[in-house]
Amino acid sequence: MLFVVSAAKGWTLDDGTVHPTGYWAEELAEPHRIFSEAGWDIDIATPGGVTPTVDELSLGVMGGMPSTRKKIRAYLDSIADRLNHPLRLDEVDEDDYDLVFYPGGHGPMEDLAVDEVSGALLTRRVHADRPLALLCHAPAAILAPREPDGSNPFAGRTMTGLSNVEEHLNTFARKAKWLLQDEMEEVGVDYDKALIPLRSHVVVDGNLHTGQNPQSACELATTIVEALSPTA
């Protein structure tokens, strides 16, 4: 399987300031661990083959209990060699992979939302109806692809991603140029969210799997493993 990870180190806000960011630790570590324990081989790719940056907020108090953060940091350290030497996204053939998974963090809002290579990959993937998963802010990546008629290839699909309410819990996000939920709805996605913010929420639409927030990381990965594992 393939992890497509943001290469961004910052998120440019509406006032021109850049908020330090990257990928959210839990959203990469926990699914990677669950997929690895399922016996799946995992490659990591980023735009340009740039070493991805972990959002330090995700390893601080916003990342959960100290014991949880310690476990996640240790897991990231255990896969550091792969994280530090990712594949170049433009040299990857996603058709070689049974699953393509996009972890979140604010990074995708900066680069994957406008990345043509990622956009083309997503277009091919959704047209082929092959397993694809995006978590939290990662659905920002679906804003990059366009059909020849200008429509979005994900229009009409049922998906989730970080909600406006959850985004506004980050004070710096009040200066955002745009919000993910708004943009997903704008391109025609049938957006779905949990009734209570910060609760795990996973949406499955055929081979398209999405998770709403960091709290959804484990449920999303487990749901995918159950869906893609051969039945006894």
Side-chain angles (χ1 to χ4, degrees):
M1 65 162 297
L2 178 69
F3 268 54
V4 178
V5 184
S6 168
K9 296 181 179 180
W11 181 30
T12 305
L13 302 176
D14 197 40
D15 62 358
T17 60
V18 178
H19 175 75
T21 189
Y23 67 86
W24 199 257
E26 181 180 8
E27 296 176 24
L28 191 151
E30 290 291 66
H32 194 287
R33 175 185 61 79
I34 290 169
F35 296 144
S36 294
E37 290 175 354
W40 297 359
D41 294 326
I42 303 171
D43 286 335
I44 297 172
T46 65
V50 174
T51 299
T53 299
V54 63
D55 189 326
E56 290 298 328
L57 288 178
S58 66
L59 293 172
V61 294
M62 293 180 67
M65 299 294 292
S67 59
T68 299
R69 303 197 307 265
K70 181 179 180 181
K71 181 184 70 172
I72 289 173
R73 187 184 290 274
Y75 187 83
L76 292 176
D77 288 343
S78 76
I79 61 170
D81 186 60
R82 292 192 177 188
L83 281 172
N84 292 336
H85 302 92
L87 303 173
R88 288 180 58 99
L89 188 58
D90 59 355
E91 295 179 353
V92 165
D93 182 356
E94 84 285 346
D95 196 45
D96 293 337
Y97 298 93
D98 293 328
L99 170 69
V100 176
F101 184 93
Y102 281 63
H106 282 106
M109 303 278 280
E110 182 77 9
D111 62 351
L112 296 178
V114 294
D115 188 279
E116 293 182 0
V117 172
S118 173
L121 182 159
L122 290 169
T123 300
R124 293 191 297 269
R125 198 79 187 177
V126 74
H127 282 174
D129 193 29
R130 300 199 64 198
L132 171 66
L134 304 102
L135 176 58
C136 195
H137 284 98
I142 73 164
L143 304 180
R146 283 291 185 274
E147 301 284 18
D149 64 1
S151 64
N152 189 286
F154 290 87
R157 302 301 295 266
T158 303
M159 301 178 66
T160 191
L162 197 78
S163 68
N164 289 351
V165 171
E166 290 167 320
E167 189 69 272
H168 279 302
L169 296 176
N170 300 308
T171 56
F172 56 85
R174 295 167 188 168
K175 297 186 290 183
K177 294 180 180 179
W178 49 272
L179 299 180
L180 180 59
Q181 177 183 339
D182 291 341
E183 293 300 307
M184 292 177 71
E185 292 174 340
E186 179 67 24
V187 300
V189 166
D190 182 7
Y191 177 82
D192 187 74
K193 65 179 179 180
L195 294 177
I196 302 174
L198 303 182
R199 296 288 181 90
S200 178
H201 184 63
V202 171
V203 172
V204 180
D205 181 351
N207 277 324
L208 177 61
H209 297 71
T210 49
Q212 182 173 326
N213 44 36
Q215 293 79 11
S216 308
C218 289
E219 183 184 354
L220 177 61
T222 301
T223 299
I224 293 168
V225 170
E226 292 173 350
L228 300 188
S229 295
T231 57

